[in-house]
Amino acid sequence: MPYEVQGVVALSKGAPVSLETIIVPDPGPGEAVVDVQACGVCHTDLHYREGGINDEFPFLLGHEAAGVVSAIGEGVTNVAVGDYVILNWRAVCGQCRACTKGKPWYCFNTHNAAQKMTLKDGTELSPALGIGAFAEKTLVHSGQCTKVDPAAKPEAAGLLGCGVMAGVGAAINTGGVGRGDTVAVFGCGGVGDAAIAGAKLAGAAKVIAVDIDDRKLEWATGLGATHTVNSKETDAVAAIKELTGGFGVDVAIDAVGHPAVYQQAFDARDLAGTVVLVGVPNPTMEITLPLIDVFGRGGALKSSWYGDCLPSRDFPMLIDLYLQGRFDLDAFVSETIGVGDVEAAFEKMHHGDVLRSVVVF
């Protein structure tokens, strides 16, 4: 029997979100219904509301979530009713060319639920990143559920579903940060600070945080930055080179997604260093680099998709580190809010007042 729940919906481009009655169908083959316990307010949700992802309105927003499986469909074997899970938007298919090459973190055919959740009048909803978790219940493909230790608080655990995993993975999986490396992270919001925490986890010797906001640099220090640079007041590239003996860093991470920032990251890396782009640029942005510098510096220029993560591998590992006190997921939770407070949370995020507001059900 379908469920009627309350959910946060973006009905049209740029309009404030509203709380609507959502119809969640019983799970079909390969699907699961999850009782959402907590869901982070991510910048991607705001992109959906502003029409920056696509124009398939109305959207059921929310995707950084943790909860408990309450129903499963035919053929589901990876999770059972009662399992505590983090939701992910990379449910790997196991059959595409990336998966068959043994690189499922690049899966080109990820799964979503086949059925649609709807408004009460039958209007089909587009769930953000195939999840739609600003609701008391949501319908997903079972592969979007990753079982983790239920001792982890949902308001912290759910953040691995997007922003925190993107940042940690950008440092560890994409950037390959290792013991003794030097790292610079440009942009100290949620993703950038997660990259800083990831670099610390990997054993980096120096982690240099770069931002134009001293508040964010203070947050970055709390999450593992050994040095900070306010690029509004100081030449960031010169400061980074001074901190690294004139060489530059082994790994430079652009968590902003802006040509000027990417240029700084490119210029701040050492010979044979790596630049990682994890911040999402808008479609109109372009960058021009001297080809001789691309060649002459060597190394690698990489993009990081979802931190190049494999949820079944990375989520349980990071939850274990969290429960051991070695990875401070709680530090990313700026506030907990109700489901009716998402629009206000967007405003706080826009002004840089929070790392993450988290809706708790």
Side-chain angles (χ1 to χ4, degrees), residues 86-97:
I86 299 172
L87 299 181
N88 74 79
W89 43 274
R90 176 164 284 159
V92 300
C93 72
Q95 299 174 334
C96 71
R97 59 195 186 280

Side-chain angles (χ1 to χ4, degrees), residues 6-7 84 230 235 290 335:
Q6 295 295 296
Y84 178 61
N230 187 321
D235 182 320
E335 62 173 0

Side-chain angles (χ1 to χ4, degrees), residues 261-283:
V261 177
Y262 190 87
Q263 181 74 59
Q264 288 179 317
F266 180 82
D267 292 339
R269 70 181 177 128
D270 195 0
L271 290 172
T274 299
V275 176
V276 176
L277 176 64
V278 66
V280 182
N282 73 47

Side-chain angles (χ1 to χ4, degrees), residues 37-299:
Q37 294 181 332
C39 183
V41 181
C42 175
H43 208 278
T44 301
D45 293 305
L46 184 56
H47 280 318
Y48 272 106
R49 194 200 73 175
E50 296 301 303
I53 305 294
N54 57 55
D55 60 358
E56 296 172 8
F57 289 91
F59 293 109
L60 175 58
L61 301 181
H63 59 279
E64 286 186 343
V68 175
V69 176
S70 59
I72 57 174
E74 181 185 348
V76 173
T77 58
N78 65 305
V79 290
V81 171
D83 281 350
Y84 178 61
V85 297
I86 299 172
L87 299 181
N88 74 79
W89 43 274
R90 176 164 284 159
V92 300
C93 72
Q95 299 174 334
C96 71
R97 59 195 186 280
C99 288
T100 56
K101 287 178 182 176
K103 297 180 178 180
W105 50 90
Y106 292 139
C107 181
F108 302 131
N109 191 29
T110 55
H111 292 306
N112 293 314
Q115 299 183 88
K116 288 288 190 179
M117 293 179 279
T118 69
L119 295 174
K120 204 166 183 178
D121 65 3
T123 301
E124 291 187 348
L125 292 164
S126 300
L129 292 176
I131 293 175
F134 284 150
E136 298 154 295
K137 292 177 181 284
T138 191
L139 176 76
V140 294
H141 189 279
S142 66
Q144 294 178 276
C145 300
T146 304
K147 186 178 177 181
V148 297
D149 192 324
K153 292 186 290 188
E155 58 266 35
L159 300 185
L160 288 179
C162 187
V164 170
M165 187 68 253
V168 171
I172 295 176
N173 296 335
T174 314
V177 175
R179 294 188 302 273
D181 280 350
T182 54
V183 180
V185 177
F186 296 79
C188 299
V191 173
D193 278 356
I196 287 166
K200 178 185 177 182
L201 268 179
K206 286 184 180 176
V207 183
I208 304 165
V210 183
D211 204 286
I212 60 173
D213 187 335
D214 285 333
R215 293 175 306 168
K216 292 185 176 181
L217 293 173
E218 187 175 340
W219 297 341
T221 300
L223 284 158
T226 59
H227 301 79
T228 62
V229 176
N230 187 321
S231 56
K232 199 173 184 179
E233 302 168 354
T234 306
D235 182 320
V237 175
I240 290 167
K241 290 198 172 180
E242 184 177 348
L243 289 166
T244 55
F247 298 118
V249 290
D250 297 304
V251 182
I253 299 172
D254 174 3
V256 178
H258 188 279
V261 177
Y262 190 87
Q263 181 74 59
Q264 288 179 317
F266 180 82
D267 292 339
R269 70 181 177 128
D270 195 0
L271 290 172
T274 299
V275 176
V276 176
L277 176 64
V278 66
V280 182
N282 73 47
T284 65
M285 290 177 174
E286 296 182 351
I287 188 165
T288 300
L289 296 171
L291 195 56
I292 189 62
D293 286 349
V294 175
F295 172 78
R297 285 176 177 268

